[in-house]
Amino acid sequence: MRIKPRQYLASLIRQLDHITVYLALNLGIAVEKILPFLSLLSRRHFLGTAGAVTLAMASRQVSAEAVAEPGSRHDVVLTVNGWRRSLDLDARVTLLDVLREHLGLTGTKKGCDQGQCGACTVIVNGQRINSCLTLAVMHAGDEITTIEGLEEGGNLHPMQAAFVRHDGLQCGYCTPGQICSAVALLAEHNAGWPSYATADVATAPSLTDAEIAERMSGNICRCSAYPNIVAAIRDVAAGGRT
Amino acid sequence: MKPFRYERANSLASACASASEPTAKFIAGGTNLLDLMKLQIETPAHLVDINALPLGGIEETAENGLRIGALVTNSALAADMSVRRRYPLLSQAILAGASGQLRNKATTGGNLLQRTRCPYFYDTTKPCNKRAPGSGCAALHGLNRMNAVLGVSDNCIAAHPSDMAVAMTALEARVETIAQDGATRTIPIDALYRAPGDTPNIETVLAPGELIRSVVLPPPPAGRQIYRKVRDRASYAFALVSVAAIVAHDNNRVQAARVAFGGLSYKPWRSADAEESLSGATLARASYDAAGAAALKIAHGYGHNDFKIPLARRTLRAALTEATGTI
């Protein structure tokens, strides 16, 4: 894929900003204080999430005081979207809360927080999981991909582009989870996995609309954009435009 | 979530030793346990993460069956080629449960030990003998549509939620465990679960610190394998009733049949009565209905779940019809 110089520069600046924010978070400096050091590109983004980040830092202090139990905090290195992040975590924190509240990656959404809606779907070691039903401390060494990590060189992932093209959303809240789920679904299908919709589980089924619907049943869309979601996935599965 | 001590076990011995304290719990996939911990229905003081233990892999046994490691995920098990070819019932049952995301985390051992989804077990403002022994059973006279109709007591009418375990029961799986002192034992899956009786809070025969290492499937019996599940939605819902059936037949008669039900009891309900009734029976609707009547003879409804009894009979008939290719 050819990368345009302007996109490359933008991506480079964003990466520098990420390093700055990363260092600040690890040194315990609030994001608001380092805003002047960030590019205009990122300032708006972090202004939006600064509240969440500050809140997360405050809650970290509160929970640290509340927890008398020894050994309940852990140094964990997580690899998120290719970045290694060192974190000091309460053992109770879910992967979802770490992504959103500690790393500022608010693309992954909290819906039901009990594994029923799929809004929190992320890809761990190539497999989609509900990030709300797993502890962050259990993911040291794992490769975690969130919606923010799907883009390739500043371009939308083909599945993101297909969701836009087919209007596979209305309010958009479930969309990051839908897209992560759909990306992993294609990998599962390519590996020949059967589903409940597969008539003969000993065969590798073709990806019919019924197969897509069954395989996406862990992602609920209250706006009911299902027909367009299925169309987007069908398009990418068939090698659609990228 | 209550605070707990988290430990990543690096040997079977240390895992079993750590988890033998009464307030300790093993954690593998965590999809059920963490949900219950958030609601403070489970409040372990110590979590022993067993994911680093060598309990993965699916291998053939000397008797030409399969040994499934306790940490094999539901997804991996359902997608395994030897399971799909020789135990399609198991693949179908697993794929009938939960969602793709949950199956990627849920493990073989954890699936067997998941807790009931009885709404009163989940509602901490209501009495529940399973959650708070001695407090009573709110489901008995409550909204008990999803509850059990076979083998339960007035102290608890919770149903076991697993699909996988229903298939494993029909396949006569054996559960291999290791205890704190290193002792190993093999438990037939049908003997793993304890009837609620007066102590519905004690659900299995496993001792504290006893860990499921693997599940062994004997060679599959002859016959067509069918898993049929009836639920409120087309996908991603627990069973109202499910049937695992394995039927061998010639042109006229059933030679041998195995029947297990899901959604009806505190465990997957293997029905010797239905199997006896089917043995040698003609391939006819009347035979399948007789088997259903035999299986549900001692069933008892609690009001909202009365419908499960005729539904189970009809689901069995449909499964047997499909298994024998008859009308």
Side-chain angles (χ1 to χ4, degrees):
Chain A
M1 194 186 302
R2 210 176 67 85
I3 300 170
K4 297 185 189 116
R6 237 175 66 191
Q7 283 176 347
Y8 179 72
L9 193 66
S11 137
L12 203 68
I13 291 171
R14 269 203 300 270
Q15 286 188 18
L16 280 171
D17 289 340
H18 270 114
I19 295 171
T20 313
V21 172
Y22 169 77
L23 288 173
L25 281 176
N26 276 289
L27 294 170
I29 302 168
V31 173
E32 294 98 316
K33 292 198 179 143
I34 57 153
L35 279 176
F37 302 102
L38 300 180
S39 71
L40 275 173
L41 267 175
S42 298
R43 250 179 253 176
R44 225 184 110 209
H45 169 72
F46 282 110
L47 269 175
T49 56
V53 173
T54 323
L55 196 67
M57 297 178 96
S59 71
R60 276 169 71 170
Q61 281 158 9
V62 171
S63 56
E65 283 159 15
V67 178
E69 195 83 18
S72 63
R73 291 199 77 83
H74 297 263
D75 290 322
V76 185
V77 178
L78 294 181
T79 308
V80 183
N81 301 331
W83 287 77
R84 281 165 57 84
R85 316 276 183 135
S86 287
L87 296 157
D88 167 32
L89 296 176
D90 186 305
R92 292 173 291 178
V93 183
T94 61
L95 179 58
L96 171 62
D97 285 343
V98 165
L99 293 173
R100 290 182 57 83
E101 311 294 341
H102 295 239
L103 300 177
L105 293 170
T106 52
T108 306
K109 297 293 185 270
K110 182 180 279 195
C112 68
D113 208 24
Q114 52 184 14
Q116 292 185 359
C117 76
C120 69
T121 303
V122 298
I123 302 169
V124 175
N125 299 334
Q127 299 205 329
R128 51 179 169 164
I129 67 165
N130 299 117
S131 61
C132 74
L133 282 188
T134 192
L135 297 173
V137 288
M138 296 172 76
H139 289 283
D142 287 349
E143 294 281 341
I144 299 154
T145 303
T146 68
I147 189 73
E148 291 93 341
L150 288 179
E151 59 144 7
E152 294 158 359
N155 294 314
L156 291 180
H157 183 281
M159 191 63 78
Q160 291 174 305
F163 267 66
V164 173
R165 202 159 57 241
H166 289 275
D167 203 14
L169 58 134
Q170 231 181 96
C171 81
Y173 195 79
C174 72
T175 311
Q178 298 275 4
I179 290 175
C180 284
S181 194
V183 167
L185 176 159
L186 292 188
E188 291 171 3
H189 179 256
N190 284 337
W193 287 16
S195 87
Y196 188 68
T198 310
D200 178 358
V201 292
T203 61
S206 60
L207 202 58
T208 59
D209 285 2
E211 283 280 355
I212 293 172
E214 165 59 29
R215 289 164 191 257
M216 288 297 288
S217 72
N219 292 83
I220 312 292
C221 171
R222 289 302 297 151
C223 307
S224 239
Y226 299 114
N228 296 357
I229 292 170
V230 171
I233 298 170
R234 191 202 301 132
D235 195 355
V236 179
R241 292 171 287 166
T242 56
Chain B
M1 212 182 283
K2 295 273 190 193
F4 54 84
R5 196 150 46 88
Y6 170 82
E7 172 193 347
R8 195 166 173 89
N10 50 28
S11 76
L12 280 171
S14 70
C16 294
S18 296
S20 59
E21 316 157 23
T23 55
K25 281 263 176 202
F26 291 119
I27 185 165
T31 53
N32 186 213
L33 181 58
L34 289 172
D35 189 26
L36 293 168
M37 284 169 64
K38 287 182 184 185
L39 298 164
Q40 301 194 4
I41 295 163
E42 293 271 19
T43 53
H46 186 182
L47 269 194
V48 183
D49 180 350
I50 59 166
N51 283 292
L53 301 182
L55 299 175
I58 301 170
E59 59 185 44
E60 232 175 84
T61 61
E63 60 167 356
N64 199 25
L66 281 186
R67 173 172 283 105
I68 304 154
L71 288 174
V72 172
T73 63
N74 286 181
S75 290
L77 185 54
D80 182 81
M81 247 325 161
S82 42
V83 173
R84 288 158 68 181
R85 290 204 181 105
R86 299 178 63 215
Y87 305 91
L89 172 65
L90 180 57
S91 246
Q92 287 165 11
I94 292 170
L95 294 169
S99 65
Q101 288 96 316
L102 290 168
R103 291 192 296 268
N104 281 342
K105 281 303 284 180
T107 62
T108 305
N111 185 311
L112 292 176
L113 300 181
Q114 66 180 302
R115 313 293 303 274
T116 184
R117 285 352 186 254
C118 174
Y120 299 102
F121 176 66
Y122 266 76
D123 184 348
T124 52
T125 67
K126 298 289 189 299
C128 170
N129 286 323
K130 195 183 273 301
R131 175 169 35 76
S135 61
C137 174
L140 199 59
H141 303 290
L143 296 171
N144 49 35
R145 185 168 174 275
M146 298 297 290
N147 290 69
V149 295
L150 280 166
V152 288
S153 77
D154 280 359
N155 291 308
C156 180
I157 58 171
H160 196 272
S162 173
D163 289 294
M164 183 194 83
V166 180
M168 285 183 171
T169 299
L171 292 165
E172 296 186 345
R174 302 188 298 268
V175 179
E176 297 182 323
T177 70
I178 181 164
Q180 190 196 353
D181 59 3
T184 58
R185 64 169 171 160
T186 301
I187 306 164
I189 189 169
D190 198 46
L192 177 67
Y193 301 102
R194 282 175 53 129
D198 296 329
T199 52
N201 52 313
I202 305 170
E203 295 176 349
T204 69
V205 298
L206 299 180
E210 188 173 4
L211 178 66
I212 295 178
R213 286 192 306 165
S214 44
V215 173
V216 172
L217 300 180
R224 179 119 188 255
Q225 304 176 15
I226 299 287
Y227 191 72
R228 196 174 179 98
K229 179 174 180 177
V230 182
R231 48 185 159 174
D232 287 332
R233 296 191 296 250
S235 182
Y236 198 15
F238 289 100
L240 296 165
V241 171
S242 69
V243 169
I246 307 173
V247 186
H249 63 93
D250 58 22
N251 288 335
N252 305 307
R253 289 178 187 281
V254 174
Q255 290 159 327
R258 289 196 197 165
V259 171
F261 291 95
L264 297 187
S265 184
Y266 65 92
K267 64 172 180 176
W269 189 264
R270 176 103 182 254
S271 177
D273 291 337
E275 293 174 7
E276 227 165 83
S277 164
L278 283 168
S279 179
T282 55
L283 303 183
R285 178 171 167 160
S287 307
Y288 311 151
D289 286 346
L296 278 299
K297 198 169 53 194
I298 57 163
H300 176 72
Y302 293 88
H304 293 284
N305 68 351
D306 292 350
F307 75 96
K308 280 193 175 186
I309 298 169
L311 181 60
R313 287 197 293 257
R314 290 198 298 271
T315 308
L316 177 62
R317 183 211 294 155
L320 294 172
T321 304
E322 190 182 346
T324 54
T326 53
I327 306 294

